Amino acid sequence: MSRPIVATVDTSALRHNLAVARQAAPHSRVWSVVKANAYGHGIDRVWQSFAATDGFALLNLEEAILLRERGWKKPILLLEGFFHADELAILDQYRLTTSVHSNWQIQALAKAKLSAPLDIYLKVNSGMNRLGFAPEQVQQAWNKLRGLENVGEMTLMAHFAEAETSEGIEQPLRRIEQAAEGLDCLRSLANSAATLWHPHTHHDWVRPGIILYGASPSGKWQDIASSGLQPVMSLNSEIIAIQNLKTGDGVGYGSRYRAQGEQRIGVVACGYADGYPRHAPTGTPVWVDGVRTHTVGAISMDMITVDLTPCLQAGIGSQVELWGSNIKIDEVAESAGTVGYELMCALATRVPVKIS
Ligand SMILES: *Cc1c(COP(=O)(O)O)cnc(C)c1O
């Protein structure tokens, strides 16, 4: 590749972050969430770094099959379950654990011809109102499933809409406890935020995603600053041109930035077609030649312009970190009005990825 942009995935940080998640929930088993191609890191690149996990959670059958074909023998959980009844034959063949969130799935499980029972995760709607049975419907769904030959081990599962705060946890927990009343069941409730911050939600299996990739579930990197989590993905490039501006000179599309005086600007080989957020405003942090500076003007498809005022030594070929260990992906995301999750997932396929 001649264009200097490259993303790096730090596999030792992946291993380290899994250990951090485990320490946070020492009495629980861990589903490592690798949906969305491992949050944009590439499931095939990262899964071996998670070899110490108890299971993988994801949504695409293709991703589940890939893990089985690579030799992963431990559990795989389909977080949204099967989408059509005919997929049950594949779940059977590859021994996949499925979430069950709707009555039609119970009927499909009742009718399917399977070689052996499948483990299921019965999903409770904790108040988020996406997937799951209302608390008052759970006992009936549980009993129906318990009576099916095709159903093996059963776990009660729920998800939190606002696990960043204690208040966000309480009401959903009450709904979950209402649903579970009288059931002697395994439970899996905790996403990353609950894994880090709400030990009473841990129960039998936790389901961390974003923290495995070293970013913050709240969107604020300060919230994980003392957790020991390490950034996994770095996005790096180089300065490919320099412009010397005079007062009033514009930069980029729409001239959204104008120089207030004489100013040196660097042009970086990275744009929104690489996955850098187009909405990042002037002032979004960037690391150039070992110095923290910021973007100026609009993000183009293939280029970003940055202020070189604090980077006295920088010139063509200087190293640029868009995000990584110096500039947290959460900082860039926050500046652009999004979350680290979205930036990771949006890394474009045209960006070459290096493993370190
Ligand atoms: C994505 C997802 C997770 C992981 O969420 P993070 O915030 O990344 O930890 C856990 N459970 C379910 C059901 C999910 O869809």
Side-chain angles (χ1 to χ4, degrees), residues 103-328:
N103 274 314
W104 73 264
Q105 292 175 317
I106 301 182
Q107 287 152 20
L109 273 163
K111 284 194 201 131
K113 300 261 174 292
L114 304 181
S115 65
L118 289 175
D119 294 342
I120 67 104
Y121 269 50
L122 179 62
K123 187 144 190 194
V124 187
N125 174 1
S126 71
M128 193 175 190
N129 289 311
R130 295 191 316 189
L131 298 182
F133 293 91
E136 59 275 14
Q137 299 168 338
V138 164
Q139 308 271 338
Q140 198 190 16
W142 183 277
N143 292 333
K144 270 196 230 162
L145 284 160
R146 193 56 295 161
L148 299 181
E149 267 178 23
N150 281 337
V151 172
E153 186 177 81
M154 290 174 50
T155 302
L156 200 69
M157 170 192 191
H159 194 51
F160 294 115
E162 290 174 67
E164 299 81 42
T165 64
S166 304
E167 306 82 71
I169 289 281
E170 274 167 39
Q171 209 190 1
L173 267 185
R174 277 199 294 277
R175 284 174 62 95
I176 295 160
E177 286 320 308
Q178 183 197 342
E181 214 181 310
L183 297 179
D184 179 21
C185 58
L186 297 170
R187 285 169 219 207
S188 176
L189 314 180
N191 56 6
S192 289
T195 301
L196 280 187
W197 299 319
H198 307 294
H200 62 300
T201 65
H202 289 169
H203 293 284
D204 303 282
W205 285 85
V206 294
R207 303 188 309 271
I210 193 76
I211 56 174
L212 301 179
Y213 308 97
S216 174
S218 69
K220 297 206 184 309
W221 75 268
Q222 293 93 331
D223 290 347
I224 58 164
S226 62
S227 62
L229 294 166
Q230 296 170 357
V232 171
M233 183 194 288
S234 308
L235 184 61
N236 295 84
S237 188
E238 291 178 8
I239 302 280
I240 58 168
I242 304 274
Q243 298 292 343
N244 290 294
L245 307 185
K246 294 191 290 295
T247 308
D249 285 352
V251 179
Y253 288 113
S255 303
R256 285 203 219 154
Y257 178 80
R258 284 190 186 279
Q260 314 267 298
E262 290 194 0
Q263 189 177 7
R264 220 159 64 97
I265 297 292
V267 180
V268 182
C270 173
Y272 63 77
D274 299 300
Y276 196 86
R278 201 183 69 86
H279 294 292
T282 290
T284 300
V286 56
W287 190 257
V288 179
D289 196 30
V291 178
R292 177 179 281 254
T293 182
H294 59 263
T295 63
V296 291
I299 307 303
S300 305
M301 185 184 280
D302 313 305
M303 284 177 267
I304 290 171
T305 36
V306 299
D307 180 18
L308 293 183
T309 308
C311 315
L312 300 175
Q313 308 300 319
I316 290 176
S318 285
Q319 295 299 307
V320 176
E321 178 187 295
L322 286 318
W323 58 70
S325 52
N326 300 296
I327 304 290
K328 303 290 184 279

